Amino acid sequence: MKSKNTTKSSTKSFHHKTLLLVTLSLISVLLVSFTFYQKFEDKIPVLMYHSVQETKVSEITISKKCFVKQLKYLKANGFKTLTLDELYDHLNSGKKIPKKSVVLTFDDGYKDNYTKVYPLLKQYGFKATVFVQTDKTDKDDYFLTSSQIKELSENGVEIGSHTVTHKDLSTLSNEDQEKELSDSKIILEKIIGKPVNYIAYPYGSCNDESKKIAKNLGYKGAIGILDEYTNEDTDIFEISRRAVIEDMDNFLGKVEKNNYYMGKYKFRKLRRIISSKF
Ligand SMILES: [Zn+2]
């Protein structure tokens, strides 16, 4: 009788212990997930475009049709566009980045940024940053003129440097790097009559010296292309960007942060939403 009671009580205590262990494990899992989710929520995609044309003609162009679809998606889903200066303020002050924020950037300074992108930005009320390679300005018909750059700058488009000649900075001497970063800044500031605060490294390529030079020349930040999200841990002199291609699923995977991990179900669901809406 006595031994039966002892067995009963030890079984009960075993059950209690198991229950406690399971509860504690569940709480830990929930806490870890919540912290991870919070951290993930604070990240922002800085998107990289180049040229927007009627049809996709190369890997760095996307069609106007696809671009409009992306803008419509951002608008319909409550996304807010930030300039790099606004992003900088958030990163610098530790002020929370608004949920569903995105930065739109355009590299090289193609003329279609004025003829195709600019009217659409106005139509959707979106902000953007255009990085200009200055040796093409007023010299190559395929690229922006100085008066177009000035007009963009006066109408809410942030202008940044993309160096003078678009060389891979990591292969240049310090003197040559300094010349690329300094001359382009001076040329653009003369055109727009205000400070040029950001530089996008050509090919996203830089070294420690590029970062030091950019900082010494008075740039507030610099942009690479590491294809990651940006948050307060990001190196402000190598802000990462995510390249946008002619592919809506790829685009969704970059702006809808949950999709990064939630996999195909959400992608399919989102695809259905998009195709029914647009
Ligand atoms: Zn470029």
Side-chain angles (χ1 to χ4, degrees):
M1 199 61 181
K2 206 180 173 188
S3 95
K4 209 175 177 184
N5 271 344
T6 317
T7 318
K8 235 182 183 177
S9 98
S10 69
T11 313
K12 213 174 169 187
S13 137
F14 176 74
H15 279 150
H16 276 149
K17 273 185 189 160
T18 315
L19 194 68
L20 189 69
L21 212 67
V22 168
T23 315
L24 282 175
S25 309
L26 268 174
I27 292 172
S28 319
V29 167
L30 281 173
L31 276 174
V32 169
S33 314
F34 182 70
T35 316
F36 183 73
Y37 180 74
Q38 283 293 98
K39 189 104 185 110
F40 201 59
E41 273 297 284
D42 288 342
K43 294 183 176 184
I44 174 169
V46 180
L47 300 180
M48 176 178 68
Y49 293 90
H50 284 81
S51 172
V52 177
Q53 299 191 22
E54 281 310 317
T55 52
K56 175 183 181 283
V57 292
S58 72
E59 283 314 307
I60 61 157
T61 59
I62 73 165
S63 68
K64 190 179 162 188
K65 195 176 161 202
C66 183
F67 183 57
V68 168
K69 212 168 169 182
Q70 295 174 351
L71 295 183
K72 274 187 180 168
Y73 180 85
L74 294 177
K75 194 84 189 167
N77 289 278
F79 278 86
K80 184 177 159 44
T81 50
L82 300 183
T83 61
L84 281 173
D85 240 358
E86 287 169 329
L87 176 65
Y88 177 89
D89 283 344
H90 281 290
L91 297 178
N92 228 17
S93 65
K95 215 166 64 186
K96 233 176 158 32
I97 296 169
K99 268 185 187 175
K100 292 208 161 195
S101 296
V102 66
V103 179
L104 307 176
T105 70
F106 297 81
D107 275 15
D108 300 342
Y110 296 106
K111 186 157 279 177
D112 58 59
N113 290 182
Y114 178 83
T115 56
K116 298 228 168 14
V117 176
Y118 176 44
L120 287 166
L121 292 175
K122 279 199 280 190
Q123 186 185 330
Y124 287 88
F126 284 156
K127 298 165 186 166
T129 306
V130 172
F131 291 104
V132 177
Q133 176 190 337
T134 57
D135 70 349
K136 300 284 186 190
T137 310
D138 297 325
K139 291 189 187 86
D140 187 324
D141 217 29
Y142 205 60
F143 292 81
L144 293 165
T145 63
S146 44
S147 65
Q148 289 167 340
I149 293 170
K150 190 171 163 52
E151 189 184 331
L152 288 173
S153 167
E154 283 166 355
N155 289 278
V157 178
E158 194 175 34
I159 302 295
S161 160
H162 198 37
T163 73
V164 180
T165 64
H166 205 281
K167 288 194 185 88
D168 179 342
L169 293 173
S170 67
T171 65
L172 300 184
S173 67
N174 292 353
E175 293 71 34
D176 288 344
Q177 285 208 55
E178 182 154 353
K179 202 167 161 43
E180 289 281 346
L181 269 60
S182 173
D183 288 0
S184 55
K185 193 175 197 296
I186 292 167
I187 293 166
L188 288 169
E189 287 179 345
K190 209 171 157 197
I191 296 172
I192 63 173
K194 47 184 152 176
V196 168
N197 294 322
Y198 303 93
I199 176 155
Y201 304 123
Y203 317 104
S205 176
C206 66
N207 54 24
D208 288 346
E209 213 50 49
S210 330
K211 297 181 189 181
K212 266 189 232 157
I213 293 168
K215 203 172 180 178
N216 288 341
L217 289 172
Y219 285 104
K220 285 162 82 174
I223 328 292
I225 43 173
L226 298 170
D227 201 31
E228 268 309 324
Y229 292 108
T230 299
N231 65 8
E232 65 271 21
D233 300 330
T234 300
D235 176 356
I236 204 90
F237 280 90
E238 197 175 5
I239 295 172
S240 186
R241 281 188 298 175
R242 316 209 69 198
V244 178
I245 55 168
E246 180 100 3
D247 182 320
M248 210 52 198
D249 280 349
N250 186 283
F251 175 77
L252 293 176
K254 282 170 182 170
V255 297
E256 289 291 356
K257 287 165 269 186
N258 296 340
N259 273 8
Y260 202 76
Y261 291 111
M262 283 184 78
K264 291 191 172 185
Y265 166 71
K266 189 108 186 245
F267 271 114
R268 275 194 218 113
K269 195 176 156 202
L270 278 164
R271 188 155 43 202
R272 271 203 306 277
I273 297 168
I274 290 168
S275 38
S276 64
K277 266 191 189 163
F278 311 116

